[in-house]
Amino acid sequence: MKLSKLVIAAAVVAAGASSMTTSAFAQAKEQFFPLLSYRTGPYAPNGVPWANGKQDYIKMINARDGGINGVRLTFEECETGYATDRGVECYERLKGKPGVSLFDPQATGITFALTEKAPVDKIPLMTLGYGLSVAQDGQAFKWNFPFMGSYWTGADILIQHIGKTAGGLDKLKGKKIALVYHDSPFGKEPIPLLQERARMHGFELQMLPVTAPGVEQKATWLQVRQSRPDYVLLWGWGVMNSTALKEAQATGFPRDKLYGVWWAGAEPDVRDVGEGAKGYHALALNGYGTQSKVIQDILKNVHDKGQGTGPKDEVGSVLYTRGVIIQMLAVEAVRRAQERFGKGKVMTGEQVRWGMENLALDQKKLDALGFKDLMRPLSTSCADHMGSTWARVHTWDGKKFNFSSDWYQADEQILKPMVKAGADKYLADKKMTRRDAADCQS
């Protein structure tokens, strides 16, 4: 009996040693993607499809391509609940994993908290469509990448669109625009841009904060009914969005005068409101649907094999597709880094940062990747960590969203001075200096 136990113990030890050897060998050829997510709490309906899209893209790249030039992709999720402290805990736990590439914090508050940690740890932050607007200035923010847009570009495009529908930006003079916003760094971020546009065009800006998570808004919409703004901008997330639409309906505010940011323009925001949200407009940062090649490849290589992260009927939805785009940009940053630092090698966070700063995804490249009609071309540099500032508007018809505008580009004549001034202030406050030419080439 003792001998039998001894043999079993030896076998277990041997198996463990073998496993460790295999694991150590595998890690040498694995690129790790930490995935901060929130599948619980009031933001889960929006956070889940976003996270599922990212996972499914990783699975598809492994299944279809065998990884990136032979380097397999691995990931681990960490639940933040959209809470800043939990997000920082997840970052600290995952940042030391072998082959770590970059972090997508999935929350502006978490991004603020990690912005000073990333340069120390030499791990880049991707904040697609959120985060610090001034981080577009890559000469000031070496490790932050607000790909495809910020809350300043989003606010700018909304004012452009409202002005166009009114017959010209000059027609906004004397109008009242209310901002109903999530009372957090996320919700406050567009305010400087809106204040600048208000000064330029002579409209009154009314600011109405909503306490997180936003399930109680009756007092806010009572203010809207009393002040009778011409337009309302909705800067919400999660349960706040559907609640706002229900309150707008209850108070009689016209939904066709209500405009949401791109985090308030997905299926979970309007599905429960249905016909009550008809006419509601929101920014669309990306395309969606199941017709694109990349979505078809995910269905074929992942879901049809029973390996999908979430339900199949979610694939191709607005936020799911945004998750796919985010993960594609992360993969392409690694691929770009490999072109300089060694094809088929695992990239460090510092090398991935260089790849993020040197992306060049023109239309031909996007089409080849299967992303035709899902996004605009994106090209980054040391000076520009955003790479693209385009968005469209789509409108809810009671059952589905339909695009109701062509692509708009944010006005760089307004944004660039604001971004530079904000970045200069950040550097002065932190007693830091701008990157020089040599650092931009490193």
Side-chain angles (χ1 to χ4, degrees), residues 35-41 43 77-91 94 104-107 110 114:
L35 303 181
L36 273 57
S37 61
Y38 32 94
R39 297 181 178 275
T40 61
Y43 306 102
E77 272 201 5
C78 188
E79 174 68 31
T80 70
Y82 197 72
T84 297
D85 56 348
R86 291 176 66 184
V88 172
E89 289 173 8
C90 286
Y91 172 84
L94 298 177
D104 168 22
Q106 290 202 350
I110 300 174
L114 297 184

Side-chain angles (χ1 to χ4, degrees), residues 133-134 136-137 152 156 189-197 200 411-425:
S133 299
V134 295
Q136 180 178 1
D137 186 344
W152 288 3
D156 186 81
E189 188 69 11
I191 291 174
L193 187 285
L194 292 171
Q195 289 173 330
E196 177 63 17
R197 279 286 194 177
M200 292 173 62
D411 191 335
E412 288 293 309
Q413 289 187 318
I414 299 172
L415 263 72
K416 279 187 176 180
M418 290 183 62
V419 168
K420 186 177 186 304
D424 285 344
K425 183 180 185 305

Side-chain angles (χ1 to χ4, degrees), residues 128-147:
L128 187 145
Y130 70 94
L132 287 79
S133 299
V134 295
Q136 180 178 1
D137 186 344
Q139 291 177 318
F141 292 86
K142 182 174 180 176
W143 298 89
N144 292 61
F145 291 85
F147 286 160

